[in-house]
Amino acid sequence: MENKSISDIIEAYLKEILGDSAQVEIRRSEIANQFDVVPSQINYVIKTRFTIQNGYLVKSKRGGGGYIRIERVNLLDDVNVLNSLIQAIGDSVRERDAFDIVRTLYEEDVITRREGDLMLVALSKQALAVNDSKVEDQLRARILVSFLNRLRYES
């Protein structure tokens, strides 16, 4: 049996309740009580697993009637979502984050497996080996943003 972390279990639960819906609203404290964790653990899962790079928008409202809304988005159907993704990439992106974006594009059927594999090779540390991680991350961001802009104009 595979050992899953509590973060993995919470992520799977949230994805399950999201199901085929476009969005879900949750109360952080209720989910925390359900899994017997502190509410900040729920924040951590949402912040790290439900990102624009992974195809989600998260909105929250604080206070007594507060909620967290997790919304699944189609990366290329909505120009604002694509712009948000490009803005999140900014001038620099780590290899792991770039790979998450490519994985999401593949899972959302925006790109084929072959296109994804080619993108991963072009964004890899081996391809961008310049002996300076800051410069490498900047090059990776420029290449990834170029890919995304090209996809936007094709679709």
Side-chain angles (χ1 to χ4, degrees):
M1 183 171 166
E2 184 179 325
N3 290 332
K4 288 189 172 188
S5 71
I6 189 66
S7 294
D8 293 337
I9 294 167
I10 294 168
E11 175 188 13
Y13 173 77
L14 292 173
K15 286 182 176 178
E16 181 181 319
I17 61 172
L18 184 60
D20 292 332
S21 304
Q23 69 180 26
V24 65
E25 287 184 8
I26 61 166
R27 298 206 186 292
R28 183 177 69 138
S29 60
E30 290 174 8
I31 303 294
N33 288 337
Q34 183 173 342
F35 288 97
D36 196 27
V37 296
V38 294
S40 62
Q41 179 74 35
I42 306 304
N43 284 352
Y44 170 79
V45 170
I46 291 171
K47 183 175 179 167
T48 59
R49 313 283 176 98
F50 294 88
T51 63
I52 189 72
Q53 293 92 330
N54 292 327
Y56 298 94
L57 284 178
V58 176
K59 298 177 185 170
S60 62
K61 178 184 173 206
R62 299 202 180 269
Y67 61 84
I68 297 174
R69 179 181 300 141
I70 302 171
E71 184 177 349
R72 185 175 308 150
V73 294
N74 187 319
L75 294 177
L76 296 180
D77 279 355
D78 185 342
V79 173
N80 292 329
V81 173
L82 187 58
N83 289 339
S84 295
L85 180 56
I86 289 170
Q87 186 176 11
I89 293 167
D91 295 332
S92 177
V93 66
R94 295 178 306 169
E95 183 181 46
R96 192 188 86 195
D97 294 332
F99 281 22
D100 284 346
I101 292 168
V102 173
R103 179 184 43 78
T104 301
L105 292 169
Y106 172 71
E107 288 174 354
E108 294 293 321
D109 293 325
V110 174
I111 60 174
T112 66
R113 182 183 183 109
R114 180 171 164 75
E115 291 167 335
D117 287 344
L118 292 171
M119 290 172 73
L120 292 176
V121 168
L123 297 167
S124 71
K125 286 182 184 281
Q126 293 81 9
L128 301 176
V130 292
N131 295 328
D132 183 337
S133 62
K134 184 177 178 180
V135 172
E136 179 183 305
D137 290 348
Q138 291 170 341
L139 284 170
R140 184 177 295 111
R142 292 198 334 239
I143 292 167
L144 185 54
V145 168
S146 294
F147 281 144
L148 293 173
N149 281 323
R150 179 68 178 148
L151 286 172
R152 176 181 12 203
Y153 298 125
E154 264 185 20
S155 43

